[in-house]
């Protein structure tokens, strides 16, 4: 078995004698210098290495082959970086402000996050309109900020939910927020090369000219129309991860309950948007997505080899090979993206077309 971070704690298979540990893991985190969600390859820590070794010999003697030296192991951090240092601090700051903590930057955290990350989160909240500076230069919550506190999710996702409700696209906004929280595993490609090509062909019928978020929205829309007892079969037929879809549905149900109990807002389960519906709904949703992540804006450089220039940063990235926009064979001038994938190259993921 090739050990990954998934196998560290949640997987025990009887009879496994040999484990190969590469010493790496893909990890989602927030770049403290830009505030962007980033998926990058990271070195694991000692506790993770021990957990991976523990997968071998659970029921009998086993061996773990580590693809790194003893010196590399000794140089590893003892434990994983605390979550507060890896996630967007928006909701933490909003909750502190709701508790009347005025100077968030000097708050005595158990594990103090990077001051730059705090400053960027505050900047994001100001851009969202969740906080403002009063005449005495004190930072306070706006009406939107109080609503986001009650939702208790990433403020950018909460913004999408609240603004979509105001635009008459409440269910769509809830689903988009849910998909953004678990989007990396909606489609799957597995098996032989022929099976992977079949998966790609099936995905094409869901592809939307406005980008990846709308593609996932069309997947969820069709899946939700299926009777519940047939939804798993539908996922197998369409190469969609059933567990991710259920996780998104659970998110939607939980948020509907929070909206009803916390904000007295009852979101109908009916849909206004459809894949081949009016252009107006696409434009409204794309504008809301841009407003929720204004720092995640990129403009096409004019050269396929260079890809897109990320606005405000001296950085270029290409559309991810799995992007639905590539199906239509064009490079939109302006796009917003959900996260930046860092491998041997940098890619824009969860891309949405926006109007200039």
């Amino acid at each position: 078995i090739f050990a990954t971070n998934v196998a560290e704690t949640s997987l025990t298979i009887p009879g496994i004698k040999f484990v190969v540990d590469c010493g790496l893991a893909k990890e989602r985190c927030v770049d403290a210098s830009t505030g962007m969600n980033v998926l990058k390859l990271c070195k694991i820590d000692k506790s993770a290495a021990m957990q991976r070794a523990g997968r071998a010999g659970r029921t009998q003697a086993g061996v773990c082959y580590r693809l790194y030296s003893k010196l590399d192991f000794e140089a590893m951090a003892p434990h994983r970086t605390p979550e507060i240092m890896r996630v967007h601090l928006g909701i933490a700051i909003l909750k502190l402000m709701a508790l009347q903590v005025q100077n968030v930057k000097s708050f005595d955290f158990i594990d103090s996050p990077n001051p730059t990350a705090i400053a960027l989160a505050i900047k994001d909240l100001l851009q969202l309109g969740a906080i403002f500076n009063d005449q005495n230069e004190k930072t306070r919550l706006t009406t939107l900020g109080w609503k986001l506190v009650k939702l208790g999710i990433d403020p950018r996702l909460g913004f999408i939910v609240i603004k979509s409700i105001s635009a008459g696209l409440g269910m769509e906004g809830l689903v988009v927020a849910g998909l953004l929280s678990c989007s990396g595993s909606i489609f799957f490609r597995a098996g032989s090369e022929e099976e992977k090509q079949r998966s790609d062909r099936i995905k094409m019928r869901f592809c939307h000219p406005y980008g990846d978020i709308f593609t996932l929205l069309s997947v969820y829309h069709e899946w939700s129309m299926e009777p519940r007892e047939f939804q798993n079969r539908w996922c197998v037929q369409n190469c969609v991860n059933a567990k991710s879809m259920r996780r998104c549905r659970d998110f939607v149900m939980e948020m509907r309950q929070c909206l009803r109990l916390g904000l007295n807002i009852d979101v109908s389960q009916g849909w206004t948007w459809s894949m081949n519906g009016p252009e107006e709904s696409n434009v409204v949703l794309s504008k809301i997505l841009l407003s929720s992540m204004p720092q995640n804006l990129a403009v096409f450089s004019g050269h396929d080899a260079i890809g897109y220039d990320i606005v405000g940063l001296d950085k270029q990235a290409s559309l991810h090979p799995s992007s639905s926009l590539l199906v239509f064979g064009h490079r939109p001038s302006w796009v917003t993206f959900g996260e930046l994938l860092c491998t041997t190259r940098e890619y824009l993921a969860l891309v949405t077309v926006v109007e200039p």
Side-chain angles (χ1 to χ4, degrees), residues 75-326:
M76 289 178 178
H79 301 287
R80 192 180 186 190
T81 305
E83 187 175 5
I84 196 169
M85 298 183 184
R86 294 183 281 111
V87 300
H88 192 274
L89 298 173
I91 190 60
I93 291 172
L94 286 179
K95 288 186 174 182
L96 286 173
M97 294 183 66
L99 294 171
Q100 305 301 316
V101 176
Q102 288 297 325
N103 194 345
V104 176
K105 293 181 180 179
S106 62
F107 183 76
D108 187 18
F109 291 95
I110 295 175
D111 295 298
S112 297
N114 190 319
T116 305
I118 296 176
L120 279 168
I122 292 173
K123 179 183 176 182
D124 287 347
L125 292 173
L126 284 167
Q127 289 179 328
L128 291 176
I131 59 177
F132 73 102
N133 295 319
D134 64 14
Q135 295 177 345
N136 300 319
E137 294 300 315
K138 289 186 177 181
T139 306
R140 300 188 182 278
L141 293 176
T142 63
T143 302
L144 173 63
W146 282 107
K147 290 179 179 178
L148 296 177
V149 169
K150 291 183 178 180
L151 287 182
I153 58 176
D154 185 319
R156 296 167 294 186
L157 300 183
F159 179 92
I160 293 171
V161 171
I162 298 297
K163 292 301 180 182
S164 296
I165 292 171
S166 300
L169 296 165
M171 189 63 183
E172 290 83 350
L174 285 171
V175 173
V176 167
L179 290 167
L180 281 170
S181 67
C182 61
S183 57
S185 56
I186 298 296
F187 290 105
F188 67 83
R189 300 172 76 245
S192 65
E193 191 61 33
E194 184 179 342
E195 289 172 323
K196 289 179 181 178
Q197 290 177 3
R198 174 181 170 274
S199 299
D200 293 338
R201 289 194 299 270
I202 291 172
K203 178 183 174 180
M204 287 179 65
R205 75 181 185 88
F206 296 109
C207 289
H208 195 284
Y210 267 73
D212 302 326
I213 299 297
F214 288 86
T215 297
L216 298 179
L217 193 60
S218 65
V219 172
Y220 187 94
H221 185 229
E222 186 170 322
W223 174 81
S224 65
M225 295 295 108
E226 288 288 314
R228 186 163 292 199
E229 62 269 24
F230 299 132
Q231 286 179 341
N232 283 346
R233 186 178 68 183
W234 184 92
C235 287
V236 172
Q237 292 172 343
N238 291 279
C239 301
V240 170
N241 190 321
K243 187 175 181 179
S244 294
M245 301 304 288
R246 289 194 297 270
R247 191 160 58 238
C248 181
R249 180 178 62 200
D250 291 344
F251 176 94
V252 171
M253 292 173 65
E254 183 180 346
M255 285 300 102
R256 289 187 70 224
Q257 186 176 24
C258 286
L259 288 163
R260 185 170 60 253
L261 299 179
L263 299 175
N264 198 28
I265 298 174
D266 193 7
V267 179
S268 168
Q269 295 191 60
W271 287 67
T272 302
W273 179 91
S274 65
M275 185 171 181
N276 299 311
E279 184 81 0
E280 182 182 355
S281 296
N282 297 327
V283 173
V284 170
L285 281 174
S286 65
K287 286 182 177 179
I288 291 172
L289 285 166
L290 173 59
S291 298
S292 69
M293 297 176 285
Q295 74 280 9
N296 290 15
L297 184 65
V299 58
F300 186 49
S301 65
H303 303 279
D304 289 347
I306 298 175
Y308 284 80
D309 294 310
I310 300 175
V311 176
L313 297 177
D314 184 20
K315 186 175 288 190
Q316 290 78 38
S318 302
L319 293 178
H320 193 269
S322 66
S323 176
S324 58
L325 290 176
L326 297 178

Side-chain angles (χ1 to χ4, degrees), residues 2-66:
F2 286 90
T4 68
N5 48 327
V6 176
E8 286 171 19
T9 57
S10 60
L11 182 67
T12 298
I13 304 175
I16 294 296
K17 296 181 180 180
F18 305 102
V19 166
V20 179
D21 177 15
C22 63
L24 300 170
K26 284 185 178 179
E27 189 173 273
R28 276 188 169 84
C29 59
V30 172
D31 188 330
S33 62
T34 63
M36 293 179 182
N37 288 335
V38 177
L39 177 65
K40 60 182 180 180
L41 207 58
C42 305
K43 291 184 178 180
I44 62 173
D45 53 75
K46 285 183 181 177
S47 62
M50 296 303 293
Q51 284 288 343
R52 293 183 179 193
R55 298 310 98 189
R58 293 285 286 180
T59 56
Q60 56 190 304
V63 178
C64 176
Y65 295 95
R66 288 175 170 161

